Every structure is written in structure tokens, then in C-alpha cells.
Amino acid sequence: MARRYMLELAYNGAAYHGWQRQPQSLSVQQVLEEKLSLVLRRDIQVQGCGRTDSGVHASEYYAHFDTDVVLPADLLFRLNKLLPPDILIYSIYRVSSEVHARFSATERAYRYELSQQKNPFSPETLTVYPMLGQVDAELVHATAALILQYEEFLPFCKTKSDAKTMRCDLRQAEWVIHDYRWSFHIKSDRFLRGMVRLIVGACLRVGRRQIELGEVDAALREQRPIYGSWSAPPHGLFLTKVQYPDQSSWEVLF
């Protein structure tokens, strides 16, 4: 009888075309499935907690898989040995078959990192924005606070999205500013395709007075795109937290 297992992992997404398998591009899911299948000697498919775009990272990510194979005692060690340096498995849990990595999650958190100057030690995980000194901090704070008042977010959804609703329960949207290093923190029950990067882009455009705060307000009120919207580059974005109900009851195996 197949049992369900949950992987807790992290990855640097710079070398990958996002989490989800792609026909002709390397993805995190593909690499993970290949290494799991190799160790367990079965065709293993994993279901992730969500899609991340090409170049986006995850400091905390969950994915489940089902198998009737008895997991070897050294599975965690063998997996991490086989996986490339930019993917790490933290833990493996045994969970109920009703726990789903994507659909059971109740909250997700992202962080976006910006710097006015380049950092040679983190070129793949930090967006360099030389115009940061021209951004009005009060305006980006005001934009984030405005967005937090709404429940539907069509202006911050990429075109051709398959989302059935634009509604999200946004619980945090705030900027943390330290001189030349800025970060944006956001939490919600779910996110639309490209939502965080479009929100960051809108905040920066308002902060540079390229668009008015009222335009963002009107677009959210009318649920229409923002003219000339800009999506911030992917490499500054991290998925940082995923929460599940009764997560403390998961059985830690490795």
C-alpha cells in the first residue's frame, strides 16, 4: 500500500526554468524526480506546493510523493549527495494521504530583495536596482498599505493565467528598508501568477513618481491592468514560508 511522504527543501532557482516540469527546459521538479526515482528504483512523481517562475528561489518549499517502497534509512543522505549543490532536502516526513503539498497549504510568504549596488557574493539572489536612491520610501510604504486593503488582484496577475478567481486573502505587504538594501515581505493564502513581482514593480514605479498612487487604487477598484505595468526581475524573489494545518503532527522520518 502506497504511503505519502512530504519533502521539506530549499533551492536556488537561478539555473532552473522554475519549479514545474517543462518540455525542453530544466526544472527543479525534474531534477528532484530523477534523483528520487534513482534512489528508490521506481518512477517517482512529486507534487510541489506551488509554481515558482524561472530564476525564482525558495528558502522553504514542500513537495509530496506517494510510494509503496520502504524508504531506506539513509535516504536523506543519499538524496542530498545526488542532488546538485543548489537543491537541498532539509527533512522528510510521513503524512496522511489527505495532506496535499499544494492544496492543503493555508499560507505562503515571499520576500523580494533589492540593492542599489551589486553584491559579488549574491549576484543570483539579489536584484540590483541602481535607481533605488531615487525611490521615495514613503510612497512605496503607502503603495503596500493600499494593496493590503484589497481582496481581488487582477492588476497583479500575468496575462493568460488559468486562475479561476482573482481573490487572495492578503495578510502582510510591507517594505523593510536599510540604507541601500530594501526588502519586500508579503503573505497570503494564495498568490496569482507573477503577483509578487508585479506588486514590487508597481511600488517602485509609484516611488519614482512614474505613476500615481491613485492609478494603482483605481486599477484595484476597477479590477483592470495598470497601464505600463512592470514586473520586477525574478532573481530577487524567494518563497520563504509555507504553512499547513496540523503540521506539528507530521511524523519526522529523516
Side-chain angles (χ1 to χ4, degrees), residues 130-149:
M131 296 80 70
L132 204 53
Q134 303 170 19
V135 178
D136 186 320
E138 289 188 9
L139 285 176
V140 298
H141 286 310
T143 308
L146 170 69
I147 291 167
L148 198 54
Q149 297 174 22

Side-chain angles (χ1 to χ4, degrees), residues 12 34 40 59 101 108 115 147 156 160 173 222 233 250 254:
N12 180 323
E34 288 175 352
L40 299 181
S59 57
R108 296 167 174 85
S115 177
I147 291 167
F156 303 119
K160 299 180 180 179
E222 300 165 16
W250 294 359
F254 313 106

Side-chain angles (χ1 to χ4, degrees), residues 1-246:
M1 176 178 163
R3 302 292 301 268
R4 177 158 294 181
Y5 302 94
M6 189 75 77
L7 302 169
E8 181 184 357
L9 63 143
Y11 56 84
N12 180 323
Y16 303 100
H17 199 79
W19 158 263
Q20 192 167 345
R21 266 190 180 268
Q22 305 291 329
Q24 298 177 331
S25 302
L26 188 66
S27 70
V28 179
Q29 183 181 24
Q30 175 186 335
V31 173
L32 189 54
E33 287 179 340
E34 288 175 352
K35 302 311 180 188
L36 260 175
S37 298
L38 182 62
V39 174
L40 299 181
R41 299 181 181 180
R42 296 284 178 87
D43 182 22
I44 302 294
Q45 296 182 341
V46 298
Q47 171 66 57
C49 61
R51 302 173 185 175
T52 55
D53 290 340
S54 178
V56 174
H57 320 288
S59 57
E60 181 176 289
Y61 192 94
Y62 290 91
H64 77 252
F65 67 95
D66 299 328
T67 184
D68 57 1
V69 175
V70 176
L71 303 189
D74 60 349
L75 176 60
L76 185 63
F77 171 79
R78 290 167 66 184
L79 262 181
N80 279 325
K81 187 176 181 181
L82 285 171
L83 287 166
D86 50 14
I87 302 176
L88 171 68
I89 309 295
Y90 289 126
S91 301
I92 303 175
Y93 305 88
R94 182 183 289 124
V95 298
S96 162
S97 60
E98 297 178 354
V99 177
H100 192 284
R102 179 181 176 187
F103 299 122
S104 297
T106 55
E107 184 174 276
R108 296 167 174 85
Y110 283 88
R111 182 182 78 250
Y112 194 94
E113 294 284 350
L114 279 165
S115 177
Q116 188 171 344
Q117 57 188 12
K118 66 181 181 179
N119 185 328
F121 303 107
S122 55
E124 298 173 341
T125 57
L126 178 70
T127 292
V128 178
Y129 193 73
M131 296 80 70
L132 204 53
Q134 303 170 19
V135 178
D136 186 320
E138 289 188 9
L139 285 176
V140 298
H141 286 310
T143 308
L146 170 69
I147 291 167
L148 198 54
Q149 297 174 22
Y150 283 88
E151 297 178 346
E152 292 186 292
F153 298 94
L154 184 144
F156 303 119
C157 181
K158 282 187 177 180
T159 55
K160 299 180 180 179
S161 168
D162 58 358
K164 294 180 174 60
T165 174
M166 297 293 142
R167 185 174 293 273
C168 302
D169 179 14
L170 209 60
R171 300 161 188 175
Q172 180 190 27
E174 63 177 332
W175 286 88
V176 177
I177 297 175
H178 297 292
D179 296 326
Y180 301 109
R181 186 77 175 253
W182 294 27
S183 61
F184 179 65
H185 301 256
I186 188 166
K187 291 180 184 177
S188 181
D189 63 330
R190 63 189 288 268
F191 287 91
L192 304 171
R193 184 168 176 257
M195 181 174 171
V196 181
R197 291 165 56 198
L198 283 166
I199 288 176
V200 170
C203 287
L204 293 174
R205 292 187 72 219
V206 172
R208 292 186 65 200
R209 294 179 171 80
Q210 294 175 320
I211 57 172
E212 296 292 330
L213 183 60
E215 166 62 12
V216 178
D217 193 15
L220 283 164
R221 251 192 348 265
E222 300 165 16
Q223 287 298 291
R224 59 168 173 79
I226 300 171
Y227 177 74
S229 62
W230 177 63
S231 179
H235 50 275
L237 182 59
F238 291 77
L239 175 62
T240 58
K241 189 72 178 174
V242 185
Q243 292 189 350
Y244 297 87
D246 302 321

